Amino acid sequence: MQPDLFKMPPDASPASPEESHWQERAAWLKAELDRHSHAYYVLDKPSIPDAEYDKMFRELVALEQAHPDLITSDSPTQRVGGKPLPQFEQVRHSVPMLSLNNAFSEDDATAFDRRVREGLELADEVEYSAELKFDGLAINLRYENGVLAQAATRGDGATGENVTPNIRTVRAIPLRLHTDHPPAILNVRGEVLMYKADFANLNERQRAAGLKEFVNPRNAAAGSLRQLDARITAQRTLRFFAYGIGLLEGAQMPPSHAALLDWYASLGLPVCRERAVVKGAQGLLDFFHGIAAKRQHLPYDIDGVVYKVNRLEHQLKLGYVSRAPRFAIAHKFPAEEAMTVVQDIGVQVGRTGAITPVARLAPVFVGGVTVTNATLHNEDEVRRKDIRIGDTAIVRRAGDVIPEVVAYVPELRAADAREFRMPAQCPVCGSPIVRLEEEAIARCSGGWIKCAAQRKGGLLHFVSRRAMDIEGFGEQLIDQLVDKHVVTTAADLYRLGLSALVELDRMADKSAQNVLNALEKSKSTTLARFIYALGIRHVGEATAKELANHFGNLDALLNASEEQLLEVADIGPVVARSITTFLSEAMNRELIEQLRAAGIHWAEHERPADLPKPLQGKTFVLTGTLPTLTRDEAAGKIEAAGGKVAGSVSKKTSYVVAGEEAGSKLAKAQELGVTIIDEAGLLHLLE
């Protein structure tokens, strides 16, 4: 046992100034890591981003390696996690639940492969099982003679919390293994997590009930599993993936990790399909980059991938270090959360006049990019999160999602931190900012004509791929056209000539002609695209399609009353009122007529009553690349035949139409037993 840092042994000589410095630094790191671990694992209230914790942990590891006398039994490097909650019965794990060492770069992953080859004394490439690193809560499921007998959290790795009643509410976990010859004892290691869609639904219910929202799906999963009342857990949709093993008695251990997961799947245990057996360092990196590319499309959060030496005999030979196996490592993605200072809070104006508070940040590298601005959504959100100018805040960025401020760090709040005040006038056009009682969003009252910001936003929406799909119109070109007063409305785009375009910055004759060609091509469109391109509030793609299908032609829509609009599927009073308000304004009517006069046209729809509805009441999900149809074309045919197209697979899905390179939606359909068809099968149904 190492001596206590604060009690010098009687025969020890006084520490040198340099030694005292390292002792103080190590003591501070230990205290900080313990405090943040307690906030995260015990209180379910993360106080700093994972990246900050990892940074301090790596510093302490390096410090203890350089100065072994600093290692103490209570150091965070000598244990796995936090203490179990006192309300739950404590469970002693028969085999400790260790954590993994981390790799943060390709060099780290390559070094791991080198260490494995050296440890196994192999010249050839090592075979690895590569899988996902889930962002949830580690759990141990104990099956006795095939029946679920106990479930316990990891806790500190040696002792966890008995959460058996709560785990029994997780429908993905079998209460009895699917086999006639179960092992006497099987300890399954895995992760309890919450899907993104389920997390969004949970927070929506929390808001409706006036309760505190959860920070992220991981926090929600942990909080749900630690409810003393299992009935509360049952109301929250939790999932589970098995990925490891503890104790096994009464059965032969599979020869490899991949074989173990296959065995689990045969027993009815959920196993993630996003896994592969690869060889060598290049195989590891290829898997990492492949998962990184599809990460944002996964239905759950992950923060990296895990590499495990595949063969069990090789794992046994490599063994363990004090807190982690030598045969496995977690390769983490760049941090998606980081801390920085809110230097100011300004506002930006959207295409509908929405005024969005934006935090101006001290530059911080998060999610693979340097972030200087982050959204605060609306004034109520700023108040709810109590974000102030001068605060140190946690910023989150996931893929292409706009960075947002998650929370401030209370202990780092400056004494002179100032509250945000919504301005009374639009910063772009000076028009009054108004907020209706029933809305959370404040808006500029200037409209397209007065407000250049709304004009730019509206034009970008009009030319976007899902609307009129006019190539060549980026944000810079739209800015120039508006700022130089060349374009005021969308109809002005179709009046552009070559001479006007070539006078703009970075616009030569060829690029200008390409823009004109794209404008001409866009004149042949669909009624649904045209309706969507108008930018009517609350009218998205799906609503635009419903309107086009219901009314059949534009004139019928223009003359529709609010009562007639309410007859359209999925349109309620708010949307109907928004449409009638938009169409009753003279300048909007004039815009529509100018666009038609410019030559924009489409094939008129047959009214739905005149069309057969072979897919009425059926819900479809499209995934992968179809041989001849685009996604839009396939969706249009389904909707024209009375069917609905959804974005995610559920038990209510009638068919999944799968093409090449189908992803997680196909796997979900197979898991739920949803009927899977190809393009030919869809065309057959349409007949």
Side-chain angles (χ1 to χ4, degrees), residues 428 452-453 455-456 459 475-488 504:
V428 176
R455 201 175 310 142
K456 292 175 182 178
L459 289 169
E475 193 170 340
Q476 289 183 343
L477 178 56
I478 293 291
D479 284 349
Q480 287 191 73
L481 291 171
V482 172
D483 292 341
K484 294 178 183 292
H485 306 289
V486 178
V487 169
T488 302
L504 301 175

Side-chain angles (χ1 to χ4, degrees), residues 348-364:
Q348 66 182 24
V349 187
R351 68 176 178 86
T352 63
I355 304 293
T356 303
V358 177
R360 312 300 183 192
L361 308 171
V364 60

Side-chain angles (χ1 to χ4, degrees), residues 476 480 501-508 511:
Q476 289 183 343
Q480 287 191 73
L501 286 171
V502 295
E503 291 179 1
L504 301 175
D505 296 339
R506 300 180 182 179
M507 187 64 69
S511 54

Side-chain angles (χ1 to χ4, degrees), residues 105 125 155 173 184 247 251 297 321 420 442 454 545 600 618 647 656 663 672:
S105 66
E125 291 183 325
I173 297 175
L247 183 66
H297 303 294
V321 291
F420 165 74
Q454 294 186 57
K545 290 176 182 178
I600 296 178
K618 304 294 184 183
V656 167
L672 296 177

